[in-house]
Amino acid sequence: MGPARRLSALEQDVWAVFRQATKHDPHVYVGDVHASDPEMALLLAKEQYARRDPCVNLWVVRYSQIFATDYGDADMFRPATDRSFRFGGSHRDQQRVYREAGRRRDDEE
Amino acid sequence: MSDHTHTEDPERLAEFEARVAAGEQVETGEWMPGEYRQEALRLIQMHANSEIMGAMPEREWIPRAPTLSRKMALTAKVQDEVGHAQLLYRVAETLGRSRVQMIADLIEGRSKFHNVFHYPAETWADVAVIQVFVDGAAMQTQGALRSSSYAPYARVMKRICYEEDFHIRLGLDVYRTLADGTPRQRAMLQDAITRWWVPLLHFFGMPDRVSPHTEKMLRWRLKVKSNEELRQQFLRKFVPIIQEAGFTVPDPALRWDEASQRYAYAEPDWEELKRVGRNQGPKSAERLALRQDYHRRHRWVREAVERWGLLAA
Ligand SMILES: [Fe+2]
Ligand SMILES: [Fe+2]
């Protein structure tokens, strides 16, 4: 993994906007605004990204505060070895045992 | 920024082209040919300019909209268009030109905006025609660009198309009210259709010659469909909207060709498109002057905001 890369913004005053649609949802990056301070960034974010889509909460983050991996390093997200143990598919039998566990006793009663 | 004649490392260029051909997209900060960057910037900057200039003809009608609900819907639509400009200037900025510079380019006449926004909106029926047909024309282009190879542009285009779809529905509501209205309302709508027909055909640009440049733009997916393909797509959808409401397309040569599934139409005067492109359209000077005027009048706001930002930082 290369060094953490600061996203370069042409200007100091670019903010990334994250919108949370409902309290059940995570905040999701939706786009940018230009603003000179957080209050202005939030106000513009509300106008630009929450005038139609549902929203309960907004975050704004200065671009200069975001650190990112490099697209050139995207290979590192590809598993080097078999990682099927991370996924449900390799435990299908166990899933059946688990699902049927309660059912058998229910039938007996 | 590298210029047109800049030669790229052939290996890198081949790798880039292979990626784009495989349907991959390019992100900000990734390597791209200098010419790709320059062309993408030119396109997106012009698109952004068109959104902001496109808000102007309709904005003129906000105080004169016939009912309160029409006024509110129109205001919302105009806000959407200015919002589109904001989104697009930001995308253009990621290619290396500041928004401040691009606004200056626009109001000082150094960069272009779409032909349709150089024309007047004379009556309330023009608002209907703009919302249905101009937004409808833009939707053909923008819909195709959702698969642009420049990822930030493609993402923004999805959001924009979602709102454009709403604009067209809004416009159809005005259109149908006028079409179902009094003879005077119908005459007003026919007049607007007649005046807008040629600018609408012009909107998609001249039929592409198969130039190496166009080929490259298509190969790089900065262009997704040819001008003529998009124009035909537009005609297939929108000519019936005119004809089924009992209005006339002001082109006696217009006819549907079943065999080729295309409309034949009289070639519009392409010289007019070129003139308009040089900011010599009927409203070019007036609208640019208005933007310059607002830019001057708002200088104190920009300065105050900048100073406040320095204090807050
Ligand atoms: Fe728009
Ligand atoms: Fe629109």
Side-chain angles (χ1 to χ4, degrees), chain A residues 29-76:
Chain A
Y29 170 66
V30 284
D32 306 332
V33 290
H34 292 77
S36 53
D37 66 75
E39 285 75 26
M40 185 181 168
L42 283 169
L43 182 74
L44 292 174
K46 171 182 164 283
E47 283 303 313
Q48 180 66 288
Y49 299 103
R51 67 175 184 268
R52 206 165 270 130
D53 293 324
C55 181
V56 292
N57 195 250
L58 285 171
W59 288 350
V60 289
V61 182
R62 253 189 219 281
Y63 254 63
S64 57
Q65 295 303 313
I66 300 176
F67 296 84
T69 58
D70 203 291
Y71 282 103
D73 294 337
D75 274 359
M76 71 181 169

Side-chain angles (χ1 to χ4, degrees), chain B residues 139-154:
Chain B
M139 186 70 164
Q140 309 311 310
T141 318
Q142 293 171 342
L145 286 168
R146 281 178 296 192
S147 57
S148 159
S149 61
Y150 190 51
Y153 192 38

Side-chain angles (χ1 to χ4, degrees), chain B residues 77 81 135 164 167:
Chain B
K77 197 241 184 207
E81 304 300 6
D135 282 53
E164 289 305 335
H167 298 165

Side-chain angles (χ1 to χ4, degrees), chain B residues 50-88:
Chain B
S50 302
E51 297 283 354
I52 204 160
M53 297 308 286
M56 295 178 80
E58 287 178 283
R59 169 196 163 280
E60 295 166 12
W61 277 95
I62 294 174
R64 290 179 285 171
T67 67
L68 180 61
S69 72
R70 291 282 191 233
K71 210 185 285 277
M72 286 168 68
L74 184 57
T75 309
K77 197 241 184 207
V78 167
Q79 187 190 20
D80 283 350
E81 304 300 6
V82 176
H84 296 171
Q86 235 172 52
L87 293 171
L88 287 161

